[in-house]
Amino acid sequence: MTFDTVIHGGTVVTADGLFKGDLGIRDGRIAAVCETLQGGARRIDAGGRLVMPGGIETHAHIAQESSSGVMSADDYLSGSISAAFGGNSSFIPFAAQHRGQSVDEVIATYDARGSRSVIDYSYHLIISDPTETVLREELPRAFARGITSFKVFMTYDLMNLGDGGMLDILSVARAHGAITMVHAENNDMVSWMNGRLAAKGLTAPRYHAISRPELAEEEAINRAIQLAKLVDAPLFIVHVSTAGGAEIVRREQWNGAKLYAETCPHYLALTRDDLDRPGMEGAKFMCSPPLRDAATQEALWKHIRMGTFVGVHSDHAPYRYDETGKFLNGADAPYPKIANGMPGIAARLPYLFSEGVVKGRITPEQFVALSATNTAKVFGCTTKGRIAPGWDADIAIWDPEETRTVRLADQHDNMDYTPFEGMALTGVPKLVMTRGQVIVEEDKLVAREGQGRFFGRAPADLRATSGYMAKEFDPRQNFGTELR
Ligand code: DUC
Ligand code: ZN
Ligand code: ZN
């Protein structure tokens, strides 16, 4: 058997186990996994290193306008390069429909933006305007192209769909085998808090965290799940930031909901105290849902370990600390007029490895599951996220012992700060490939612009969930499931 590349002498880590072995790669795919392999036009020595599936970053805002018109600082070139330096072989950013826009046009716009990527990419749609045309014509066309997931918002005046709008989306998604992702925060609770704080003139960045209470997330998570259960639709709760929210997710998973969730590194690494930094520095740490506290961090780690979360994703939402980003509305803008989000696509996996695997909170196998394999299943990436014959050769080779301190100067995104600045992290991705092509090697980019390919996705693999039958839809008793 001939190979284009052989990776030899490393420890291969999969979601199921660890073994010493070699990988043979041919035509962009893994052709052989064996104790030892000879040959290979190129042989890569992985002695002393871990050979893992390249990360799949499934929560990133790249070349995306927010509803208030702020453009993220990273495009598909800088965003994908930064992702690759952070150990990712592919990513699934959002393609955002704002009110009045056609979904077909949104997808065409992102196709043009995505063509610059150095790693493979797909999109989740964000839906903010579910008109009849969107529901009956455009979403089915998007599903047919392999865009099988999308995000809806329960907060933000220009994005929030209301419960009826969510039910419409959930029902259409279910019919097509798509999964609905939800940003769950109670919009009225947040608006009410904003009003109270504004009346007292409390508008500094630190009040952003106060304005979005933990209860607002917990209430909305619970409501989103009940809405999804009514129509038995798969649901993915993005960026869970509270212990209470994670507990509700866990309970409802046990109750049979087709329910998945993620958390993000910033909720593990930072707290609302970071918003108290001097002057406007706190704006760097403004994200929604907001940062919480140390007790929450411990609870989130417990849920990561126990499997409540299928993934830990960055929610890379890069808004610079200048007038193009955080301060588009002025250098001392009140917190409701400062963009929510922070960068983290490069730090996600090094942080999870260092704080998770190296500190003994999760196993190396769990790291692989959380960084690639689980979410590949949930988001229908049928050729990615595994090391097995026939799968894409999307591989990351890590030095598990090297320690590096995060510095802005070493970042590859378009940002002017990193919230992880100064953190010493152990474990460094040394080589990253997508479909057998090396993207990053020993701190150097070796890919060319546009090398990544769009990949269509299948419906979520729901076989491990039992589903939920609302009594009112039980054909033995009432109207029957066709009403859903
Ligand atoms: N939601 C996100 O997922 N990212 C940034 C801001 C937000 O509201
Ligand atoms: Zn969100
Ligand atoms: Zn996000």
Side-chain angles (χ1 to χ4, degrees):
M1 211 183 230
T2 56
F3 301 111
D4 302 324
T5 307
V6 168
I7 300 173
H8 69 97
T11 299
V12 179
V13 189
T14 73
D16 313 314
L18 254 90
F19 56 92
K20 287 251 181 224
D22 292 0
L23 304 186
I25 296 166
R26 197 174 48 236
D27 297 334
R29 294 197 297 184
I30 299 168
V33 181
C34 211
E35 248 181 308
T36 55
L37 285 172
Q38 302 305 314
R42 176 168 184 205
R43 290 183 67 81
I44 297 173
D45 179 5
R49 295 187 169 176
L50 302 180
V51 179
M52 304 193 274
I56 307 175
E57 169 61 84
T58 65
H59 192 149
H61 303 269
I62 306 291
Q64 185 198 318
E65 299 93 351
S66 74
S67 59
S68 45
V70 193
M71 187 61 160
S72 60
D74 281 312
D75 59 17
Y76 272 77
L77 182 60
S78 61
S80 65
I81 291 172
S82 185
F85 275 97
N88 296 289
S89 292
S90 63
F91 65 166
I92 312 179
F94 294 95
Q97 181 217 25
H98 295 296
R99 294 208 174 145
Q101 291 182 329
S102 112
V103 165
D104 290 343
E105 281 169 25
V106 167
I107 293 174
T109 300
Y110 281 85
D111 281 342
R113 293 174 181 175
S115 65
R116 303 190 70 191
S117 182
V118 300
I119 59 175
D120 285 1
Y121 60 97
S122 188
Y123 328 113
H124 314 285
L125 276 174
I126 288 177
I127 303 294
S128 69
D129 199 359
T131 61
E132 277 300 300
T133 309
V134 168
L135 293 171
R136 308 287 154 231
E137 296 170 27
E138 293 193 308
L139 288 183
R141 273 200 289 276
F143 303 140
R145 253 203 78 185
I147 300 173
T148 55
S149 52
F150 45 78
K151 180 177 177 187
V152 297
F153 286 78
M154 299 173 84
T155 187
Y156 300 134
D157 292 341
L158 293 174
M159 303 298 286
N160 172 22
L161 296 184
D163 294 352
M166 267 191 69
L167 281 168
D168 284 341
I169 294 271
L170 286 160
S171 166
V172 170
R174 177 186 194 281
H176 291 275
I179 188 162
T180 304
M181 305 161 81
V182 63
H183 177 135
E185 286 184 289
N186 179 309
N187 200 42
D188 285 347
M189 281 189 188
V190 173
S191 300
W192 190 86
M193 291 294 286
N194 283 340
R196 289 282 158 135
L197 290 162
K200 290 192 182 308
L202 303 176
T203 61
R206 68 184 301 262
Y207 296 106
H208 169 76
I210 314 277
S211 74
R212 309 187 83 92
E214 297 190 5
L215 284 172
E217 176 173 287
E218 293 166 20
E219 186 284 327
I221 286 179
N222 184 53
R223 183 157 37 100
I225 295 169
Q226 306 317 318
L227 294 171
K229 276 164 63 185
L230 182 64
V231 291
D232 194 27
L235 184 70
F236 189 103
I237 316 273
V238 295
H239 48 47
V240 175
S241 68
T242 56
E247 276 158 32
I248 295 166
V249 169
R250 189 157 186 86
R251 187 184 72 222
E252 295 290 358
Q253 286 168 336
W254 276 94
N255 285 341
K258 294 170 179 164
L259 179 59
Y260 305 91
E262 66 174 10
T263 190
C264 311
H266 43 270
Y267 300 119
L268 306 168
L270 304 161
T271 68
R272 64 167 70 94
D273 291 347
D274 289 292
L275 280 95
D276 277 337
R277 296 194 191 194
M280 294 299 279
E281 286 271 310
K284 293 178 178 174
F285 301 91
M286 280 179 54
C287 58
S288 290
L291 301 174
R292 308 294 185 182
D293 57 19
T296 304
Q297 293 176 339
E298 279 318 303
L300 294 177
W301 272 115
K302 188 179 79 185
H303 284 283
I304 290 171
R305 196 163 50 243
M306 289 166 61
T308 310
F309 298 123
V310 286
V312 177
H313 302 125
S314 71
D315 195 359
H316 184 73
Y319 300 114
R320 288 171 63 92
Y321 188 67
D322 65 19
E323 69 289 348
T324 67
K326 295 285 181 184
F327 303 125
L328 194 71
N329 294 309
D332 53 1
Y335 73 81
K337 295 208 170 296
I338 297 176
N340 290 328
M342 59 177 93
I345 203 163
R348 163 179 92 114
L349 295 178
Y351 184 84
L352 185 64
F353 190 90
S354 188
E355 288 296 311
V357 179
V358 176
K359 295 221 170 135
R361 291 178 169 116
I362 56 172
T363 64
E365 293 92 327
Q366 283 178 303
F367 173 82
V368 168
L370 290 160
S371 59
T373 308
N374 286 346
T375 33
K377 277 192 222 164
V378 173
F379 291 118
C381 312
T382 51
T383 61
K384 297 187 178 295
R386 273 171 209 252
I387 292 184
W391 289 68
D392 284 357
D394 286 10
I395 309 286
I397 302 178
W398 284 61
D399 181 336
E401 288 175 357
E402 183 177 338
T403 298
R404 285 196 184 165
T405 299
V406 180
R407 298 279 177 228
L408 176 63
D410 300 327
Q411 303 303 303
H412 299 86
D413 57 18
N414 279 341
M415 286 297 292
D416 52 0
Y417 77 95
T418 161
F420 300 93
E421 183 77 39
M423 292 186 196
L425 301 179
T426 300
V428 175
K430 305 295 278 190
L431 185 146
V432 175
M433 58 171 67
T434 301
R435 281 179 289 102
Q437 295 173 310
V438 177
I439 308 293
V440 165
E441 184 166 10
E442 302 295 338
D443 299 320
K444 291 205 171 46
L445 179 71
V446 291
R448 61 180 164 70
E449 178 175 338
Q451 197 171 306
R453 281 195 206 149
F454 174 83
F455 58 99
R457 292 174 290 114
D461 178 350
L462 301 171
R463 286 172 300 171
T465 62
S466 55
Y468 186 86
M469 173 70 81
K471 283 185 191 151
E472 294 75 8
F473 287 129
D474 186 338
R476 289 166 303 183
Q477 301 185 33
N478 287 299
F479 306 114
T481 50
E482 73 281 1
L483 266 188
R484 291 194 299 215

